[in-house]
Amino acid sequence: MRLVGLTGGIGSGKSTVSEQLRDNGAVVIDADAIVRELQRPGEPVFAAMVQRWGRDVVAEDGTLDRAAVAAIVFNDKDELKALESIVHPVLRTEIERRIAEQRSTENVVVLDMALLTEKANPYEVTEIIVVDLAPETAVDRLVRFRGFSEDDAAKRIAAQANREERLAVATHVIDNNGDLTALKQQVDALWQRLN
Ligand code: ADP
């Protein structure tokens, strides 16, 4: 196994890069997707969240109301801490399990995780791909393609690790200021080097 971290801010193109690496043959461990699995009704993480915040965080169809959770934790540090202490330990165990499953293979394993630079890196990731771009371009893409308001996009970006913090831990930088063709060329070139 060659274990490589993949990180980048919201709107950076991290999901696009992750998909392209998967198409090339990488095994992707997607932290956001795992969190969504852990938060499905019936899962202990879901139960713990409902215990803390009540039915307010449950949508009519019985699934988690993510927007309601975001509204609670976004403006309150204590509530954010509470959310992290519910989710992070279980997430970490699941990521470790998936890494362990791959350990004795020859696969390139990509750990796709926005928090890689913001928290201590507990997964023995020695290489980190950072998808980098000007924050204004990220705001623009979130508004144009993902339905964010400009204000919301800018706030979400400001709440994350900044560009310099991310670049400081990068071993491979993907420049996503250009178009999708330029992005794909860089990912393909990187894939050649990772294999
Ligand atoms: P992230 O996962 O980092 O939040 P995405 O991969 O979802 O970012 O990219 C944000 C949006 O911008 C998506 O709609 C994506 O298709 C688009 N996008 C990503 N890279 C480019 C690019 N180089 N040119 C144009 N659009 C892009």
Side-chain angles (χ1 to χ4, degrees):
M1 172 185 76
R2 182 166 179 179
L3 179 62
V4 189
L6 170 65
T7 192
I10 183 168
S12 64
K14 182 169 71 71
S15 308
T16 310
V17 169
S18 174
E19 225 173 85
Q20 291 174 350
L21 288 167
R22 188 184 275 127
D23 288 347
N24 275 312
V27 171
V28 174
I29 300 176
D30 177 342
D32 284 346
I34 295 174
V35 170
R36 286 194 295 275
E37 284 175 30
L38 296 173
Q39 292 177 335
R40 285 193 298 228
E43 296 293 329
V45 167
F46 177 85
M49 292 177 72
V50 176
Q51 189 172 23
R52 173 142 190 127
W53 293 296
R55 304 303 295 178
D56 287 355
V57 296
V58 182
E60 266 179 21
D61 65 359
T63 63
L64 190 70
D65 184 341
R66 283 168 209 291
V69 175
I72 293 170
V73 303
F74 202 65
N75 294 306
D76 188 325
K77 282 213 164 76
D78 290 339
E79 299 302 329
L80 179 60
K81 274 222 173 84
L83 175 65
E84 287 174 350
S85 68
I86 292 169
V87 174
H88 284 177
V90 191
L91 172 63
R92 179 169 172 175
T93 303
E94 179 58 18
I95 289 175
E96 278 167 355
R97 190 187 68 73
R98 293 190 191 195
I99 292 173
E101 239 173 36
Q102 292 294 325
R103 201 171 293 283
S104 60
T105 70
E106 294 298 309
N107 294 330
V108 175
V109 178
V110 173
L111 175 57
D112 173 351
M113 195 168 173
L115 287 177
L116 269 180
T117 63
E118 290 163 33
K119 297 272 177 320
N121 159 16
Y123 303 111
E124 306 157 56
V125 175
T126 52
E127 291 176 275
I128 297 185
I129 305 165
V130 171
V131 187
D132 179 64
L133 79 179
E136 309 82 69
T137 310
V139 170
D140 180 59
R141 286 181 188 154
L142 287 173
V143 171
R144 273 202 289 157
F145 305 126
R146 301 245 306 258
F148 281 71
S149 73
E150 191 159 335
D151 186 50
D152 196 25
K155 271 198 191 137
R156 293 283 293 269
I157 288 171
Q160 296 185 324
N162 69 33
R163 195 175 182 184
E164 287 69 35
E165 284 169 341
R166 250 188 228 104
L167 287 172
V169 298
T171 48
H172 310 277
V173 177
I174 297 209
D175 174 350
N176 195 17
N177 290 292
D179 62 16
L180 283 167
T181 310
L183 180 63
K184 182 150 192 341
Q185 276 169 359
Q186 291 178 75
V187 174
D188 289 346
L190 174 61
W191 179 252
Q192 295 301 322
R193 284 200 282 139
L194 292 176
N195 258 288

